[in-house]
Amino acid sequence: MIDFPSKERLAHIVYESDDRASKYFDLVLLVLILMSVSIVVLDSVEEIHTNYGSLLYGLEWFFTLVFTIEYGFRIWLSNNKRGYIFGFYGLVDLLAILPTYLSLILFQTQYLTVIRALRFLRILRILKLPKYVREATLLTTALKHSQAKIKVFVGSVLTIVLVMGSVMYIVEGPASGFTSIPRSMYWAIVTLTTVGYGDIAPVTDLGQFIAALIMLMGYAIIAVPTGIVSSELTAARLDETKRAKSPEAAAEHCPACGAQSHSEDALFCRKCGAKLDAAQA
Amino acid sequence: MIDFPSKERLAHIVYESDDRASKYFDLVLLVLILMSVSIVVLDSVEEIHTNYGSLLYGLEWFFTLVFTIEYGFRIWLSNNKRGYIFGFYGLVDLLAILPTYLSLILFQTQYLTVIRALRFLRILRILKLPKYVREATLLTTALKHSQAKIKVFVGSVLTIVLVMGSVMYIVEGPASGFTSIPRSMYWAIVTLTTVGYGDIAPVTDLGQFIAALIMLMGYAIIAVPTGIVSSELTAARLDETKRAKSPEAAAEHCPACGAQSHSEDALFCRKCGAKLDAAQA
Amino acid sequence: MIDFPSKERLAHIVYESDDRASKYFDLVLLVLILMSVSIVVLDSVEEIHTNYGSLLYGLEWFFTLVFTIEYGFRIWLSNNKRGYIFGFYGLVDLLAILPTYLSLILFQTQYLTVIRALRFLRILRILKLPKYVREATLLTTALKHSQAKIKVFVGSVLTIVLVMGSVMYIVEGPASGFTSIPRSMYWAIVTLTTVGYGDIAPVTDLGQFIAALIMLMGYAIIAVPTGIVSSELTAARLDETKRAKSPEAAAEHCPACGAQSHSEDALFCRKCGAKLDAAQA
Amino acid sequence: MIDFPSKERLAHIVYESDDRASKYFDLVLLVLILMSVSIVVLDSVEEIHTNYGSLLYGLEWFFTLVFTIEYGFRIWLSNNKRGYIFGFYGLVDLLAILPTYLSLILFQTQYLTVIRALRFLRILRILKLPKYVREATLLTTALKHSQAKIKVFVGSVLTIVLVMGSVMYIVEGPASGFTSIPRSMYWAIVTLTTVGYGDIAPVTDLGQFIAALIMLMGYAIIAVPTGIVSSELTAARLDETKRAKSPEAAAEHCPACGAQSHSEDALFCRKCGAKLDAAQA
């Protein structure tokens, strides 16, 4: 506070998180985001809005100002201003502060519903959270690896939903709530994913028979994404274990020909046959 | 467009997908299928049918004509015409265009319901989709491998459903909606698969106790298909990894006796004891 | 039919299934069981009972007589008559034919409900089915291996259900349908297993918060049995693969000291150091 | 009973479970806990309370006295009295006996609801159960290993619930039961976990579309915790199998340099190149 830090230092604090000051900055921001989101959530409860509405409104403005200053700082400190402003986090930052200001300008009653909806854009602040959680990358990597298979899986599910939804639309018809194919497809998703609200349910014998088939399908199909992720994670784990066991093996070059990537327990170079261990000793 | 391609070239474009023209053809067909299916889905919505019914009817005819031309082309270009026409894709192609023509001929009101149902056969066009997705084969192979185990699993589920459905029919009776064993079995499937509509639910103490047992069973049983697919995919993955690590090992013959399939790290032939690595060097 | 087979031959046909005649016998029995069970199921449907009641009654007697003859044959042919009669399959066989005969004796109206219930014992015939399915043993073995872990899992689930059921009984009370702890526990099972009928659902804010916790628990807990079975099946599969690769290794004895169970790629005996491969060659 | 055991012997019986007397003590306590919990559960059923209320009240006092004696004994026998009294099990023991005594003191009607609630604290006795089940540690270890990943998973789920709950609050509004963001979040959890009560369900087209998205997400996301636990257990199992195969390998030191943790099939020390097997022979 006394020694005002240089612009480079500030940029480091705001954009990195590898020393004390930058970690504190991240933590404070994390807490502010969680608090501001809580306020939006609480304000949506009728009773709380009636009793503490003005207090929450004040806090709302406080957080908006804080995040506005943060937004300004981030633009000022960024080397690639255009990249930040039009990037994902820049847009989230902007959308999170904009609605409060808009509510001042668009004060006419005809825009009230729009403003009401826009105010909840502040919830988007939560999307800045993953940045502060290291472990998240672990899972996203595993998911990315199985992406191709997951796409095929989602495609199959949607095909089943389309075909089964159409069949049920013909079999049950509007009388049981299957008023259109899109609604039938909604029901098929509710059933296939085993959610089963019961707001729409088959009443004819044939309809219940087909529904039972869809349920059994859903029950069996869920094994597929689980199997994909399981095998991906198991493979990743076994890889880790192996590498942990013989860290030097990974870097083992043949002393004679320089060939790499020998199997872990190779005694002789798989290219030229020279003894590997002897050379290392 | 100017140089009209030869019949061989056309057959290649239509039936293969390994160069530019054939890939474009596949993509265009894919988009056309998705669009024609969307039209059937949209037309089933009351409001859209009322307002845009004639537009959709026109588009319907457009797609039918396009697919008719495609159907004709495929027959003309096929070397094995009989094989195509009576094969799975040939029948799907035919069933997808037939209903529109039938609606012209069977114009009498008494056939209206039948025609209505037939019109949705067009949805079947979606079944041509997997042809355009390479990755689909991956999953189907894994599923085929675990087929035997999945059959046993489905058999066990159906046995539980039959026995539990009968028990609940006696315990709860028609008063709570368990009007027959088939309906009780429908309820047992709804419960075992954890869908749980709530349209039929036990009300007696004993019935709720048995229902709780079925739920816990369903909760535990779902582990089985998941485990089957997981282990199948994990085994497949590990196999791949191993093969990738030592591609030449697979082809390793003993220089002395010619024996194959030595373990990856074998130093001596497992049949005659000759040194393997030395011979390779 | 012409050459009446010896008693030994008959016993072989009835109890084994390794040649043509015995396999035919199994298949015929399988079909008879499925048909007789179908009749019980169909007879429970009001309309079918009204229209085809007497036909089904006739078929009922036909199957009862056939299974009575089979029961007599099995006793006559068995070497261990006491073992068969009081064993699982013997009791199932008896319980499946008894009710039809009992319905003749206990003709008084006061026993009608009891007889009605007993008639469904015929469904038990389905339990003879697994005998005819070889693959079933595969899964039961895997399940038996993970039995200990599954018991702990079911124990944890029941503890959660007991504690959460009691909490919800206090929080929600009889007004929302939580009329007693047993009923609250029923609701907790419905929720934890993600069945979710909706016949009982929390209405207070605190109740809904606790319910959300239970749901998230159930969603996370289901990973445990799945993980158990997955790891068990994966381990079994990998074992199989390994054994398939080096079948002779399993029987490898040290030529010097006779020690067994060397690791697959051992070159020297792990007990006395003698060369293993050299001795085999 | 005749030879009164020493204090050391008693402490051993109460706190350990490695000989006959201490195992009997554990078993008796286990049965007493299960019985006392059953009484609380049964007493909550209206009819049973009316008919057998006084019997259950008597049994209640009997168990309270037994557990009070046990509590006293445990304090008296403990070497670390403070540690026991303020530890988890000490507090559970106290909370389990306290309510019965409190019901004597706080006899005024204004405290009745509080006492009613407190009485169910006795259910907590069930939490002493895991102490008596050896296998439980197995699962908890596996869960602890995947803790970090499970936290990230729960975090992602809560983020989805927050964002989707807010969106549905705006889209559906109070008319369909989405009266506030917290309630919308409750609905999102009910849907994402595939419980699906149906007490709150979307009615607008857009709402049902978003709900379908959440369901598909929930259906796919459940694969993640399952995959985590599966891979953790598979890795643990494979580790066990390996260790079981070569128990002496784990302790294998290089005879020349003393280096440890050689790969299972190492022939030469990975540090100094000395022959490992030769030295052992």
Side-chain angles (χ1 to χ4, degrees):
Chain A
M1 284 293 188
I2 303 158
D3 256 344
F4 201 78
S6 69
K7 191 180 167 186
E8 280 72 35
R9 181 79 191 113
L10 274 176
H12 188 267
I13 291 172
V14 170
Y15 281 106
E16 306 295 325
S17 53
D18 51 6
D19 60 0
R20 234 183 155 183
S22 57
K23 273 181 187 166
Y24 267 120
F25 179 80
D26 279 9
L27 194 69
V28 168
L29 212 63
L30 186 68
V31 171
L32 285 175
I33 290 170
L34 285 178
M35 282 171 68
S36 74
V37 167
S38 306
I39 283 167
V40 183
V41 169
L42 287 174
D43 196 42
S44 78
V45 182
E46 194 73 25
E47 297 159 46
I48 295 174
H49 180 76
T50 314
N51 295 322
Y52 307 99
S54 46
L55 173 67
L56 293 176
Y57 188 71
L59 285 170
E60 187 57 54
W61 269 105
F62 167 72
F63 284 114
T64 303
L65 289 176
V66 169
F67 289 129
T68 307
I69 292 165
E70 188 219 342
Y71 184 60
F73 252 82
R74 280 189 188 273
I75 294 178
W76 178 52
L77 293 171
S78 177
N79 289 321
N80 177 8
K81 290 194 204 325
R82 187 179 278 263
Y84 167 70
I85 293 174
F86 295 103
F88 177 69
Y89 284 118
L91 287 174
V92 166
D93 283 343
L94 183 64
L95 284 171
I97 52 172
L98 214 64
T100 317
Y101 294 112
L102 276 177
S103 69
L104 281 187
I105 304 164
L106 307 167
F107 208 57
Q108 288 102 317
T109 41
Q110 67 257 43
Y111 296 123
L112 264 179
T113 333
V114 181
I115 293 165
R116 228 180 98 81
L118 283 174
R119 283 181 59 210
F120 293 101
L121 282 172
R122 290 159 199 153
I123 294 272
L124 289 175
R125 281 170 197 152
I126 204 82
L127 294 178
K128 294 183 69 179
L129 232 101
K131 259 176 74 174
Y132 305 109
V133 185
R134 231 32 76 88
E135 287 93 345
T137 49
L138 232 116
L139 278 179
T140 40
T141 314
L143 283 175
K144 238 174 233 162
H145 269 241
S146 21
Q147 212 176 23
K149 286 179 204 157
I150 285 177
K151 264 183 202 162
V152 175
F153 169 71
V154 170
S156 323
V157 165
L158 289 182
T159 307
I160 293 173
V161 163
L162 175 64
V163 173
M164 286 307 189
S166 307
V167 169
M168 287 301 276
Y169 170 65
I170 300 165
V171 169
E172 286 279 332
S176 335
F178 296 79
T179 51
S180 67
I181 292 187
R183 186 139 302 189
S184 279
M185 287 169 68
Y186 164 71
W187 169 86
I189 291 176
V190 169
T191 300
L192 195 76
T193 58
T194 78
V195 171
Y197 283 137
D199 51 350
I200 308 171
V203 292
T204 66
D205 290 335
L206 183 56
Q208 294 190 338
F209 178 73
I210 297 169
L213 285 186
I214 299 177
M215 284 167 214
L216 289 175
M217 256 186 228
Y219 197 57
I221 283 176
I222 203 168
V224 177
T226 310
I228 293 169
V229 177
S230 289
S231 72
E232 206 64 45
L233 285 173
T234 303
R237 257 210 75 120
L238 291 179
D239 244 47
E240 254 174 57
T241 316
K242 263 189 189 165
R243 231 171 304 152
K245 266 184 186 162
S246 56
E248 63 281 305
E252 198 175 30
H253 294 256
C254 172
C257 71
Q260 262 179 311
S261 76
H262 296 95
S263 76
E264 285 172 54
D265 47 7
L267 299 181
F268 300 96
C269 172
R270 62 192 176 81
K271 294 289 183 201
C272 70
K275 206 148 204 216
L276 288 172
D277 275 359
Q280 272 197 333
Chain B
M1 284 293 187
I2 302 156
D3 256 342
F4 202 78
S6 69
K7 191 181 166 186
E8 279 72 37
R9 181 79 191 111
L10 273 176
H12 188 268
I13 291 171
V14 171
Y15 282 107
E16 306 295 324
S17 53
D18 50 6
D19 60 0
R20 234 184 157 183
S22 57
K23 273 182 187 164
Y24 268 120
F25 179 80
D26 279 8
L27 194 69
V28 168
L29 212 62
L30 186 67
V31 172
L32 285 175
I33 289 170
L34 285 177
M35 280 171 68
S36 75
V37 167
S38 306
I39 282 167
V40 182
V41 169
L42 288 174
D43 196 42
S44 78
V45 182
E46 196 73 25
E47 297 160 46
I48 295 174
H49 179 75
T50 315
N51 295 323
Y52 308 98
S54 46
L55 172 68
L56 293 175
Y57 188 72
L59 284 170
E60 187 58 52
W61 270 105
F62 167 72
F63 285 114
T64 303
L65 290 176
V66 169
F67 289 130
T68 306
I69 293 164
E70 187 219 343
Y71 185 60
F73 251 83
R74 280 189 187 272
I75 294 177
W76 178 52
L77 292 170
S78 178
N79 289 321
N80 176 8
K81 290 192 205 325
R82 186 179 279 264
Y84 167 70
I85 293 173
F86 296 103
F88 177 68
Y89 285 117
L91 286 174
V92 166
D93 283 343
L94 183 65
L95 284 171
I97 53 173
L98 214 63
T100 317
Y101 294 112
L102 275 176
S103 69
L104 281 188
I105 304 164
L106 307 167
F107 208 57
Q108 291 102 318
T109 40
Q110 67 256 44
Y111 296 123
L112 265 178
T113 333
V114 181
I115 293 165
R116 229 180 97 81
L118 282 174
R119 283 181 59 210
F120 292 101
L121 283 172
R122 291 158 198 154
I123 295 272
L124 289 175
R125 281 170 196 151
I126 204 83
L127 294 177
K128 295 183 70 179
L129 232 100
K131 259 176 73 174
Y132 305 108
V133 186
R134 231 34 76 87
E135 287 93 345
T137 50
L138 232 116
L139 278 179
T140 40
T141 313
L143 282 175
K144 239 175 233 162
H145 270 241
S146 21
Q147 212 175 23
K149 286 179 203 156
I150 284 175
K151 265 183 202 163
V152 175
F153 169 72
V154 169
S156 323
V157 165
L158 289 181
T159 306
I160 293 173
V161 162
L162 175 64
V163 173
M164 286 307 189
S166 308
V167 168
M168 287 301 277
Y169 170 64
I170 299 164
V171 169
E172 287 279 331
S176 334
F178 296 80
T179 50
S180 66
I181 292 187
R183 186 138 305 188
S184 280
M185 286 170 69
Y186 164 71
W187 169 86
I189 290 177
V190 169
T191 300
L192 195 76
T193 56
T194 78
V195 171
Y197 284 136
D199 51 349
I200 308 171
V203 292
T204 66
D205 290 335
L206 184 57
Q208 294 190 339
F209 178 73
I210 297 169
L213 285 186
I214 300 177
M215 284 167 214
L216 289 175
M217 255 186 231
Y219 197 57
I221 283 176
I222 203 168
V224 177
T226 310
I228 293 168
V229 177
S230 288
S231 72
E232 205 65 45
L233 284 173
T234 304
R237 259 210 74 120
L238 292 179
D239 244 48
E240 254 175 59
T241 316
K242 262 189 190 166
R243 233 171 303 152
K245 265 185 187 161
S246 55
E248 61 281 305
E252 197 175 32
H253 295 256
C254 171
C257 72
Q260 262 180 310
S261 77
H262 296 95
S263 75
E264 284 173 55
D265 46 7
L267 298 181
F268 301 96
C269 172
R270 61 191 175 79
K271 293 290 181 201
C272 71
K275 209 152 201 209
L276 289 172
D277 276 359
Q280 271 197 332
Chain C
M1 285 295 189
I2 303 158
D3 256 342
F4 202 78
S6 70
K7 192 181 166 185
E8 280 72 37
R9 181 77 192 114
L10 274 175
H12 187 269
I13 291 171
V14 171
Y15 282 107
E16 307 295 324
S17 53
D18 51 5
D19 60 0
R20 233 183 156 185
S22 56
K23 273 181 187 165
Y24 268 121
F25 179 79
D26 279 8
L27 193 70
V28 169
L29 213 62
L30 186 68
V31 171
L32 286 175
I33 290 170
L34 285 177
M35 281 172 69
S36 75
V37 167
S38 306
I39 283 166
V40 183
V41 169
L42 287 174
D43 195 40
S44 78
V45 181
E46 195 73 23
E47 296 159 49
I48 295 174
H49 180 76
T50 314
N51 295 323
Y52 307 98
S54 46
L55 172 68
L56 293 174
Y57 187 71
L59 285 170
E60 187 57 52
W61 269 105
F62 167 72
F63 285 115
T64 303
L65 290 176
V66 169
F67 289 130
T68 306
I69 293 165
E70 186 219 344
Y71 185 60
F73 252 83
R74 281 189 188 272
I75 293 177
W76 178 53
L77 292 170
S78 177
N79 289 320
N80 177 8
K81 291 192 202 328
R82 186 179 279 263
Y84 167 69
I85 294 173
F86 296 103
F88 177 69
Y89 285 118
L91 287 175
V92 165
D93 283 344
L94 184 64
L95 284 171
I97 54 174
L98 215 63
T100 317
Y101 294 113
L102 276 177
S103 70
L104 281 187
I105 305 164
L106 306 168
F107 208 57
Q108 290 102 317
T109 40
Q110 67 257 45
Y111 297 123
L112 264 179
T113 334
V114 181
I115 293 165
R116 229 181 96 82
L118 282 174
R119 284 180 59 210
F120 292 101
L121 283 172
R122 290 160 200 153
I123 295 272
L124 289 175
R125 281 171 196 149
I126 204 82
L127 294 178
K128 295 182 69 179
L129 232 101
K131 258 176 72 173
Y132 305 108
V133 186
R134 233 30 79 87
E135 287 93 344
T137 49
L138 232 117
L139 277 180
T140 40
T141 314
L143 281 176
K144 240 174 231 162
H145 270 242
S146 22
Q147 212 175 23
K149 286 179 205 158
I150 284 176
K151 265 183 201 163
V152 176
F153 169 70
V154 170
S156 323
V157 165
L158 289 182
T159 306
I160 293 173
V161 162
L162 176 63
V163 173
M164 286 308 190
S166 307
V167 168
M168 287 301 276
Y169 171 64
I170 299 164
V171 169
E172 287 278 332
S176 334
F178 296 79
T179 51
S180 66
I181 292 186
R183 186 138 304 189
S184 280
M185 286 170 69
Y186 164 71
W187 170 85
I189 291 177
V190 170
T191 301
L192 195 75
T193 56
T194 77
V195 170
Y197 283 136
D199 52 348
I200 309 171
V203 292
T204 66
D205 290 336
L206 183 57
Q208 293 189 338
F209 178 74
I210 297 170
L213 286 186
I214 300 177
M215 284 166 214
L216 288 175
M217 256 187 230
Y219 197 57
I221 282 177
I222 205 168
V224 177
T226 310
I228 293 169
V229 177
S230 288
S231 72
E232 206 65 44
L233 285 173
T234 304
R237 258 210 73 122
L238 292 179
D239 245 46
E240 252 175 60
T241 315
K242 262 189 190 167
R243 231 172 304 152
K245 267 184 186 162
S246 56
E248 62 282 304
E252 197 175 33
H253 295 255
C254 171
C257 71
Q260 262 179 307
S261 76
H262 296 95
S263 75
E264 285 172 54
D265 46 7
L267 298 180
F268 300 96
C269 173
R270 61 191 177 80
K271 294 290 181 199
C272 71
K275 207 146 203 214
L276 290 172
D277 276 0
Q280 271 197 331
Chain D
M1 283 295 188
I2 303 157
D3 255 343
F4 201 78
S6 69
K7 192 181 166 184
E8 279 73 38
R9 181 77 191 114
L10 275 175
H12 188 267
I13 291 171
V14 171
Y15 282 107
E16 307 294 325
S17 54
D18 51 6
D19 61 359
R20 234 184 156 184
S22 57
K23 273 182 186 164
Y24 268 119
F25 179 81
D26 280 8
L27 193 69
V28 168
L29 212 62
L30 186 68
V31 172
L32 285 175
I33 289 170
L34 285 177
M35 282 171 67
S36 74
V37 167
S38 306
I39 283 166
V40 182
V41 169
L42 287 174
D43 196 42
S44 79
V45 181
E46 195 73 23
E47 296 160 48
I48 296 174
H49 180 76
T50 315
N51 295 323
Y52 307 98
S54 46
L55 172 68
L56 293 175
Y57 187 72
L59 285 170
E60 187 58 52
W61 269 106
F62 167 73
F63 285 115
T64 303
L65 289 176
V66 169
F67 289 130
T68 307
I69 293 165
E70 188 220 342
Y71 184 60
F73 251 81
R74 280 190 187 272
I75 293 177
W76 177 53
L77 293 171
S78 178
N79 289 321
N80 177 8
K81 289 193 205 328
R82 186 178 279 264
Y84 167 69
I85 294 173
F86 295 103
F88 177 68
Y89 284 118
L91 287 174
V92 165
D93 284 343
L94 183 64
L95 284 171
I97 55 173
L98 215 63
T100 318
Y101 294 112
L102 276 176
S103 70
L104 281 187
I105 304 165
L106 306 168
F107 209 56
Q108 289 102 317
T109 40
Q110 66 257 45
Y111 296 123
L112 265 179
T113 334
V114 181
I115 293 166
R116 229 180 97 82
L118 282 174
R119 283 179 61 208
F120 292 102
L121 283 172
R122 291 159 200 152
I123 295 273
L124 289 176
R125 281 170 196 150
I126 205 83
L127 294 178
K128 295 183 68 179
L129 232 100
K131 259 177 72 174
Y132 306 108
V133 185
R134 232 31 77 86
E135 287 93 345
T137 49
L138 233 117
L139 277 180
T140 40
T141 314
L143 282 176
K144 239 174 233 160
H145 269 241
S146 22
Q147 213 176 21
K149 285 179 205 157
I150 285 176
K151 266 183 201 161
V152 175
F153 169 71
V154 170
S156 324
V157 166
L158 289 181
T159 306
I160 293 173
V161 163
L162 175 63
V163 173
M164 286 307 190
S166 308
V167 168
M168 287 301 277
Y169 170 64
I170 300 164
V171 169
E172 286 280 331
S176 335
F178 295 80
T179 51
S180 65
I181 292 186
R183 185 138 304 189
S184 279
M185 286 169 69
Y186 164 71
W187 170 85
I189 291 176
V190 169
T191 301
L192 196 74
T193 57
T194 77
V195 170
Y197 282 137
D199 51 350
I200 309 171
V203 292
T204 67
D205 290 336
L206 184 57
Q208 294 189 338
F209 178 73
I210 297 169
L213 284 186
I214 300 177
M215 284 167 214
L216 288 176
M217 256 186 227
Y219 197 57
I221 282 176
I222 204 168
V224 177
T226 310
I228 293 168
V229 177
S230 288
S231 72
E232 205 65 46
L233 285 173
T234 304
R237 257 211 74 122
L238 292 179
D239 244 47
E240 251 175 61
T241 315
K242 263 188 189 166
R243 231 172 303 151
K245 266 184 185 161
S246 55
E248 61 282 303
E252 199 176 30
H253 296 256
C254 170
C257 71
Q260 261 181 308
S261 77
H262 297 94
S263 76
E264 284 172 55
D265 47 7
L267 299 181
F268 301 95
C269 173
R270 61 190 177 84
K271 293 291 183 201
C272 70
K275 207 148 203 214
L276 288 173
D277 275 359
Q280 272 197 332

